[in-house]
Amino acid sequence: MTGFTTERLGWRPWLAPLAEDELTDAHHEALVDRARAASPYFRLLARDPDVLHARTKTDQDIFYNPDGGLPRAERELAATATSRHNGCVFCASVHARFAGHYSKRPDDVRRLLDEGVDARQDARWRAIIDAAVSLAATPSALGAEHLAALRAAGLDDLAISDLVHAGAFFGWANRLMLSLGEPTQEEQ
């Protein structure tokens, strides 16, 4: 599956995840949110509960922390751009829905999915997308020109830090998900 979409997708792991009835209290604690037990991705990661717990707490602090910095919509935009660049159809679908919802700009998000990371955007989103994609390519590709564009678009140091965290996290998360399985047309 290679088409980018905002539809809900499933995901099929290459390795067997734990069955829901195999999850112990330690696994549920690692999941942080018990509803994640329905996901084969999280049940697969639950095979190493300490790593899953650290991964989930990091994810939540990057995307759900409301203490200043980059608005949630633009953190989701950075995750979407990174996922689009890396070819992670599943992650792009999830974070494109969030970016469109929180920004109230679903058409701009749709254009990012349909036309790619070079699609026309306003100056602020262009700066965010370019910085996120440079991190996805290789971290050293993020340069002074990216920081200047972000500052010109109104991002302060905390917002830039949030952008780097969101882009870097998804550079890693995309590689993990793409290495462990594949998206499916419908939720599994």
Side-chain angles (χ1 to χ4, degrees), residues 15 106 112:
L15 305 172
L112 168 63

Side-chain angles (χ1 to χ4, degrees), residues 102-119:
Y102 287 109
S103 69
K104 310 290 188 236
R105 295 172 57 177
D107 293 342
D108 294 328
V109 174
R110 181 77 251 162
R111 192 168 46 256
L112 168 63
L113 294 180
D114 289 347
E115 299 175 23
V117 296
D118 294 325

Side-chain angles (χ1 to χ4, degrees), residues 135-152:
L135 286 169
T138 184
S140 61
L142 181 71
E145 69 277 12
H146 295 106
L147 297 179
L150 292 168
R151 290 188 192 291

Side-chain angles (χ1 to χ4, degrees), residues 35 39 48 62 73 85 107 109 113 129 133 135 152 157 159 168 176 179-180:
S39 162
D48 190 335
I62 290 170
H85 174 78
D107 293 342
V109 174
L113 294 180
I129 291 168
V133 168
L135 286 169
D157 287 348
L176 184 64
S179 299
L180 293 174

Side-chain angles (χ1 to χ4, degrees), residues 11 41 88 90-91 172-182:
W11 184 80
Y41 176 68
C88 191
F90 184 90
C91 294
W172 169 80
N174 292 161
R175 285 163 176 78
L176 184 64
M177 186 161 248
L178 289 167
S179 299
L180 293 174
E182 64 180 352

Side-chain angles (χ1 to χ4, degrees), residues 3 16-17 27 51 60 107 130 153-155 160-162 176 188:
H27 293 120
V51 171
Q60 289 183 334
D107 293 342
D130 287 348
L155 277 71
I160 292 170
S161 176
D162 284 344
L176 184 64
Q188 299 291 304

